[in-house]
Amino acid sequence: MNMKICLMPGDGIGPEIVEQAVAVLDKVAAKFGHTVEYSNALIGGVAIDATGNPLPDETVAACKAADAVLLGAVGGPKWDTLPGDRRPEKGLLGIRKALGLFANLRPAKLFPELAQACFLRPDIVKDGIDVMVVRELTGCIYFGQPVGREMRDGKMTAFNTMVYDEEEVRRIARLAFDAAMKREKRLCSVDKANVLEVSRLWREVVEEVAKEYPEVELTHMYVDNAAMQLVRNPNQFDVIVTGNLFGDILSDEAAVITGSIGMLPSASLGAGGPGLYEPIHGSAPDIAGQNKANPLATILSVAMMLRYAFSLNDEAQAIENAVQRVLQEGYRTGDIMEEGKSLVGCNTMGNLVAERI
Ligand code: NAD
């Protein structure tokens, strides 16, 4: 297979971690007989410095011409005082919109080797954690109309609208069922159907889509219970699918319980076009350029890319196994360092993973 990948290293630690992820991808491609064609594009602060715009038109064109996009991170203190529409983060929102990315896939995975970093009791996480949250990204109360403020009975009143149409629910449900098919084939749809009409439609449509996926076991859970169950027994979940508002909260909750922000990848996917693969952490300006960053979240984002953009499951698994072996052998970057382990920098961590592919 020939893979066309657009690289957007971005700001801060972005270039260092993307460099290591590319080295690992090259190694996997060589081993499995694939070729990779890279293009490079500017986004965020570096794009502002070069062009005055956090998302130049050439960047959008380069992303659209690729099969998949790998992003480092954007932002940093240098650009914090710019007006809102010229900030680095605007580039990120812009590219998600330009590529029509409506689903965010966030695995919250705790390797058993890092169980000490986890915020949950050791008996709950002795086998690690492996949950995937699929969040709808473009609808719900964040974008619903009408929105505004008005005087009602002499009191200033504000309102937002939670709204989903059946097609929006259908496409995120299909994507979540597809993700479940690549994992343990269990999907939990999270809603608030006991209270919200939007959730009742959500549930009906998810049930209807389930008929296309007889192999996947579908359950439903109210969001308040899901928030509790995630900390009580996270391993009861395989894939969770939910709307934008509930997903915003649950995906952060699931991520934080693992205790290691430098370990978590993500994917944002749309309808057919290239997806965007990136670590969930930011540009970590406090350690940028010091060879201290943990590249594993970006390396694991490449594994997601292989699995979701190219359906190359063995290749994705090879990366995940290599990461696990490096952890088993006791190598750690500063952010996940424990007593008795070997402290390594960003470059060495990347090399160690590549050597074990
Ligand atoms: P951050 O995730 O960049 O950093 C939080 C803390 O975690 C820092 O101490 C940092 O050193 C550490 N850290 C993060 N990633 C690490 C890694 N791979 N290895 C080792 N340590 C790591 O969040 P922040 O400090 O709130 O934000 C910094 C900048 O990043 C801001 O400009 C923010 O807007 C931007 N940001 C970008 C994204 C993105 O590009 N998707 C996401 C979040 C924040």
Side-chain angles (χ1 to χ4, degrees):
M1 184 181 280
N2 181 44
M3 301 180 260
K4 284 190 282 178
I5 313 285
C6 180
L7 302 174
M8 296 199 292
D11 307 317
I13 60 171
E16 310 162 48
I17 55 180
V18 167
E19 186 185 333
Q20 296 311 316
V22 166
V24 171
L25 177 56
D26 285 340
K27 190 76 190 285
V28 178
K31 172 154 183 182
F32 287 83
H34 306 297
T35 50
V36 192
E37 254 175 75
Y38 295 105
S39 57
N40 275 279
L42 296 174
I43 190 167
V46 286
I48 295 170
D49 288 351
T51 70
N53 179 352
L55 185 66
D57 292 344
E58 307 86 73
T59 294
V60 176
C63 290
K64 286 187 172 169
D67 299 321
V69 181
L70 181 66
L71 174 77
V74 300
K78 181 175 177 193
W79 305 281
D80 274 353
T81 49
L82 291 172
D85 62 333
R86 301 231 338 266
R87 297 275 289 265
E89 294 76 10
K90 204 73 190 163
L92 207 49
L93 295 176
I95 194 64
R96 287 185 183 139
K97 186 150 189 242
L99 297 178
L101 306 176
F102 65 82
N104 186 234
L105 276 65
R106 273 221 212 166
K109 181 166 168 136
L110 175 71
F111 288 92
E113 291 76 13
L114 300 181
Q116 269 204 322
C118 180
F119 291 111
L120 302 184
R121 266 192 349 239
D123 59 306
I124 298 176
V125 295
K126 60 181 185 314
D127 301 321
I129 299 175
D130 191 1
V131 181
M132 164 87 81
V133 180
V134 177
R135 166 188 172 190
E136 203 286 331
L137 268 188
T138 57
C140 199
I141 196 161
Y142 295 163
F143 298 99
Q145 294 291 334
V147 48
R149 285 176 183 219
E150 62 191 25
M151 294 302 281
R152 289 185 189 170
D153 298 330
K155 287 173 290 203
M156 180 54 75
T157 306
F159 50 92
N160 296 83
T161 304
M162 182 181 269
V163 56
Y164 270 120
D165 69 44
E166 57 179 311
E167 205 37 59
E168 289 173 306
V169 182
R170 205 167 279 128
R171 65 183 188 176
I172 188 79
R174 284 210 177 98
L175 201 140
F177 276 103
D178 285 338
M181 286 295 288
K182 292 182 196 284
R183 294 172 46 102
E184 287 175 29
K185 302 192 170 71
R186 290 185 291 120
L187 179 64
C188 179
S189 171
V190 170
D191 61 34
K192 190 74 183 167
N194 49 344
V195 179
L196 299 173
E197 195 54 40
V198 173
S199 286
R200 288 193 271 273
L201 175 70
W202 175 281
R203 208 176 260 224
E204 278 165 36
V205 175
V206 172
E207 289 279 352
E208 173 202 302
V209 174
K211 296 191 185 114
E212 300 165 25
Y213 298 85
E215 284 177 61
V216 177
E217 179 196 313
L218 172 68
T219 53
H220 301 277
M221 196 179 279
Y222 298 138
V223 62
D224 43 347
N225 189 22
M228 288 193 287
Q229 295 300 330
L230 263 176
V231 288
R232 234 195 95 245
N233 177 16
N235 281 327
Q236 70 186 280
F237 299 108
D238 176 25
V239 179
I240 291 173
V241 63
T242 190
N244 204 348
L245 172 65
F246 301 152
D248 190 359
I249 299 161
L250 292 183
S251 61
D252 269 4
E253 183 191 353
V256 81
I257 58 180
T258 68
S260 1
I261 192 176
M263 295 294 302
L264 297 173
S266 77
S268 299
L269 306 180
L276 180 70
Y277 299 82
E278 57 176 319
I280 71 159
H281 60 71
S283 60
D286 50 333
I287 56 166
Q290 301 171 37
N291 192 26
K292 285 183 180 165
N294 183 349
L296 293 178
T298 318
I299 290 171
L300 291 167
S301 300
V302 169
M304 286 192 86
M305 173 191 285
L306 291 170
R307 187 170 280 125
Y308 291 99
F310 303 106
S311 290
L312 296 174
N313 287 325
D314 291 347
E315 289 81 343
Q317 195 63 53
I319 293 181
E320 288 159 357
N321 291 348
V323 167
Q324 182 148 21
R325 269 193 57 197
V326 169
L327 295 173
Q328 272 163 2
E329 290 168 23
Y331 296 105
R332 302 283 188 273
T333 43
D335 58 315
I336 52 173
M337 185 58 189
E338 296 163 35
E339 218 184 298
K341 305 294 180 195
S342 314
L343 180 66
V344 296
C346 181
N347 297 343
T348 305
M349 185 55 105
N351 290 340
L352 287 165
V353 175
E355 283 165 13
R356 280 153 189 76
I357 295 291

